[in-house]
Structure formats: structure tokens, C-alpha cells
Amino acid sequence: MSETTPQVVRFHYTVSEVGQPPTESSRDGEPLAVLLGTGSLIPGMEQALVGRAAGDRFEVTVPCDQAYGPRDEALTQRIPKKYFPHPDHIKAGQTTVLQTRQGPRPVKVVKVGMSVVDVDLNHPMAGKDLHFDLEVVEVRDATAEEIDHGHVHGEGGHHH
Ligand code: ZN
């Protein structure tokens, strides 16, 4: 088997939980550009984009284990209120962003106590089967520099 050059794919997407209205779309703005094979996409979406050509428009349903994985019910944490940006306004059910050592992380508030807050650290899309509407805008070979950096340069990618 010969080595193939990694591909850069630029595409529009609309995503929804199966049976639900769309939650996110690139169609209001610029298409997303990704370097395939770098793990920047969920596995089910990456598989769906391999071997496509510009102009392809298709829909794909990605089961949760090929998306953000199953929900882990043990992935809740009790955190002191002082770590929240607006501790007096926290309500159960809302999503807020916590600063962690790994960077900002969205969490869902499960329960608010006197001085602590229980949060759910699962990805908001964990445990959900997702439906994607995809339209490929451009497919090209990655440049040596892009392969070296592990991300796309130029349109839809990094500018540096
Ligand atoms: Zn770069």
C-alpha cells in the first residue's frame, strides 16, 4: 500500500441530536476546515468525510459511541461555589464555564447547595446519537507545513 497525502477538507455542517432541531451549523458563516487523520473531528464524522469530493452533499447519522461517547453518570463533581464566575446566580440546569487546569470547560449545573455546586462534566453531546447534514466545499492535499503542524492553514484554519 502506498502512502497517501493527508487531505484537507473544507465543509459546511449542520448538526442535531437525532429527531431534534439543529443545534449548531456552519452555514451562517465560513465552512470548517480540517486536516483528516488528526483526531480533530469525532470518528463518525471523519469517516463520513473520507473519500469525498467538492460538491458532495449528504447526511449521516453517527451513533454516540462514534461521536462524544456514552454518558458517564460518575462524571459529576462537587465544586466550591467560589470557583464559579457568578456564584450567586447559579441555577440547576444551566451550563456555565469553569476554568480548569486543562483550560475552560463547559459544565452543566446539577444541584446548587449552600457553599458547593454539583456539576456534570460529561460533554453536552455525550450519550447522544447525532445527525449531520454535510456539504463538502473543497478537498485538497495538505501542505508539508500543515502536516508538520497538525492543523489547517489559510481559509478556515490557523493564520500564523
Ligand atoms: Zn500551523
Side-chain angles (χ1 to χ4, degrees):
M1 212 172 99
S2 67
E3 270 194 57
T4 50
T5 307
Q7 300 286 294
V8 169
V9 181
R10 282 204 306 138
F11 62 98
H12 274 299
Y13 70 94
T14 301
V15 59
S16 58
E17 185 183 342
V18 170
Q20 300 294 318
T23 49
E24 203 185 311
S25 178
S26 64
R27 293 194 174 276
D28 312 328
E30 291 300 307
L32 194 67
V34 298
L35 176 56
L36 294 183
T38 52
S40 57
L41 288 178
I42 57 170
M45 205 169 168
E46 173 137 355
Q47 278 162 28
L49 287 167
V50 169
R52 299 285 175 171
D56 285 358
R57 183 159 187 177
F58 54 99
E59 298 182 28
V60 62
T61 298
V62 177
C64 79
D65 63 339
Q66 292 294 305
Y68 293 96
R71 274 184 55 80
D72 179 357
E73 296 306 331
L75 212 56
T76 55
Q77 229 174 62
R78 182 156 288 182
I79 294 171
K81 259 189 185 175
K82 64 179 177 191
Y83 291 114
F84 288 81
H86 305 288
D88 298 333
H89 300 283
I90 308 166
K91 286 199 190 78
Q94 73 178 189
T95 301
T96 186
V97 176
L98 279 185
Q99 300 302 326
T100 72
R101 259 167 291 178
Q102 289 81 39
R105 174 164 188 166
V107 298
K108 186 160 185 204
V109 177
V110 179
K111 193 173 146 199
V112 183
M114 288 292 281
S115 59
V116 293
V117 179
D118 292 346
V119 297
D120 180 350
L121 298 173
N122 282 288
H123 188 282
M125 292 287 200
K128 292 177 178 174
D129 298 334
L130 302 180
H131 183 265
F132 290 93
D133 179 335
L134 299 166
E135 182 177 5
V136 177
V137 176
E138 183 191 6
V139 179
R140 62 170 171 83
D141 288 347
T143 65
E145 194 185 40
E146 285 173 326
I147 295 165
D148 188 41
H149 288 200
H151 55 230
V152 178
H153 291 163
E155 262 188 296
H158 288 239
H159 296 274
H160 63 115

